[in-house]
Structure formats: structure tokens, C-alpha cells
Amino acid sequence: MSFTGKYELLSQENFEPFMKALGLPDDQIQKGKDIKSISEIVQDGKKFKVTVTTGSKVMHNEFTIGEECDIELVTGEKVKAVVQMEGDNKLVANVKGMKSTTELNGDTITHTMTMGDLTYKRISKRI
């Protein structure tokens, strides 16, 4: 199953408390919570390029399954991570005490980030 495509954010749960826990300032949280977000994923075998555009902010990450890479977080910080593939439709990474799971089901991507007992979920649909 290929992740390649453009996806528009449909809904998100626990955005504000999760971003607060990450240390994002309130003004950025307020600006970011209602902005349309588009994710573009290009998958070439085990290599992935992910570009997330939220308003004027563009985040770009590239990684290869099973290899250490630098991942840019929502806060702008770059951290080392290893992304693993579970089955043929789930990407999993542990980044700075957070577990990130991206699951593709048909035309819908569900991205879940868990930190302690706090979970942030984003649901995006292929456009």
C-alpha cells in the first residue's frame, strides 16, 4: 500500500493541550488550531518525503524505513529518530518521549501522537 498523495486535515483532537505540553506558546497554538493543513507524502520503496504546509509554515522531513534520520518537530526542533513500518500501512516512530503512529486506511490517514497520558490525533483525507 502506497502512502503517496496529498492529504487535507479533516479533524484533530486534543490539539491545544498537546501543543501546550510540547511547550508551544499560546499565541502559536491559537493561530495553528484552525488553519488548514495539507500533507504531501511521496513514497519510493522504503524512502519517504513528507511536506506539511500549515498556513505559511512548511515542515519538510525525509526518512528511510529502519534508518536513523533527523525529524523536524512542530516546535521547529530537529531530533534523531528511526521510523519503522508495521504491516504495509503503518509508520511508527519514538521521538523525544513521544510515540508517533501514522496509519493509512484507504484514502484516510490517521496520525496519532502520544506523550505520557496525553494523545493528539489528526485525521486527513486524500485530495
Side-chain angles (χ1 to χ4, degrees):
M1 187 177 287
S2 177
F3 281 80
T4 297
K6 270 191 173 180
Y7 302 86
E8 183 174 12
L9 181 66
L10 292 180
S11 66
Q12 50 189 0
E13 297 167 16
N14 284 336
F15 176 80
E16 289 185 64
F18 198 86
M19 294 305 146
K20 268 191 203 309
L22 283 178
L24 235 61
D26 282 343
D27 62 325
Q28 280 188 19
I29 294 171
Q30 292 309 313
K31 268 191 236 162
K33 70 177 184 173
D34 296 318
I35 293 179
K36 190 166 102 169
S37 177
I38 302 285
S39 301
E40 186 169 1
I41 302 172
V42 176
Q43 179 183 358
D44 181 10
K46 292 183 162 197
K47 289 183 172 15
F48 284 78
K49 290 181 184 175
V50 181
T51 306
V52 180
T53 307
T54 308
S56 61
K57 183 169 170 43
V58 178
M59 252 179 25
H60 184 73
N61 287 307
E62 290 187 32
F63 59 88
T64 301
I65 300 297
E67 294 180 13
E68 187 176 72
C69 63
D70 289 315
I71 297 281
E72 183 183 350
L73 301 178
V74 193
T75 56
E77 182 182 0
K78 287 195 186 318
V79 295
K80 298 265 182 228
V82 177
V83 181
Q84 300 291 354
M85 178 85 89
E86 289 182 7
D88 66 350
N89 71 328
K90 193 183 282 189
L91 302 171
V92 180
N94 288 299
V95 183
K96 245 192 123 190
M98 282 184 290
K99 182 176 182 182
S100 169
T101 306
T102 304
E103 189 169 3
L104 176 64
N105 286 308
D107 282 342
T108 305
I109 282 187
T110 304
H111 184 207
T112 308
M113 291 195 296
T114 307
M115 186 169 48
D117 58 359
L118 196 55
T119 299
Y120 166 53
K121 186 186 271 189
R122 296 169 51 102
I123 297 175
S124 301
K125 185 118 175 97
R126 193 184 305 254
I127 52 174

